[in-house]
């Protein structure tokens, strides 16, 4: 994936949303994260709280992004510090 593909995906997503279609923003984020892991997991939003109001999302894209982030964290985080979510 190169920057031109990212821009093309974003433009396609915009046009799709403009005409009432579902947003593929989480799919775009997953592609970016996979292609450019150096961007950092802290810049990838996988929370249900990060949902722009009024947007419809392609089914399964948030779940796929969460899975990619979890896999990345399992491979790259040696020790987790901080409070547990439980």
């Amino acid at each position: 994936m190169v920057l031109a593909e990212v821009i093309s995906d974003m433009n396609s997503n915009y046009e799709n949303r403009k005409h009432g279609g579902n947003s593929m923003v989480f799919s775009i984020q997953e592609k970016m994260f996979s292609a450019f892991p150096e961007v950092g997991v802290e810049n990838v939003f996988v929370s249900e709280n990060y949902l722009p109001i009024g947007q419809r999302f392609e089914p399964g894209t948030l779940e796929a992004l969460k899975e990619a982030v979890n896999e990345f964290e399992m491979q790259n985080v040696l020790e987790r510090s901080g409070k547990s979510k439980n």
Side-chain angles (χ1 to χ4, degrees):
M1 174 174 266
V2 295
L3 187 56
E5 289 177 88
V6 173
I7 293 169
S8 175
D9 285 350
M10 290 172 66
N11 287 336
S12 295
N13 191 58
Y14 171 77
E15 287 297 323
N16 189 39
R17 286 285 301 131
K18 190 166 80 172
H19 297 289
N22 291 329
S23 177
M24 294 292 292
V25 69
F26 295 122
S27 178
I28 293 170
Q29 284 180 296
E30 182 187 1
K31 283 187 201 174
M32 284 286 296
F33 185 59
S34 299
F36 306 107
E38 63 273 10
V39 167
V41 72
E42 66 275 4
N43 293 312
V44 179
F45 305 105
V46 295
S47 168
E48 284 87 355
N49 296 325
Y50 173 68
L51 296 174
I53 294 173
Q55 286 214 9
R56 297 179 310 166
F57 296 94
E58 189 71 24
T61 57
L62 178 59
E63 291 77 14
L65 177 60
K66 283 182 180 180
E67 188 176 311
V69 167
N70 287 337
E71 184 178 314
F72 175 83
E73 286 179 337
M74 293 302 288
Q75 292 175 357
N76 295 293
V77 178
L78 298 175
E79 183 178 321
R80 213 177 263 268
S81 62
K83 294 182 180 178
S84 175
K85 291 183 181 180
N86 296 335

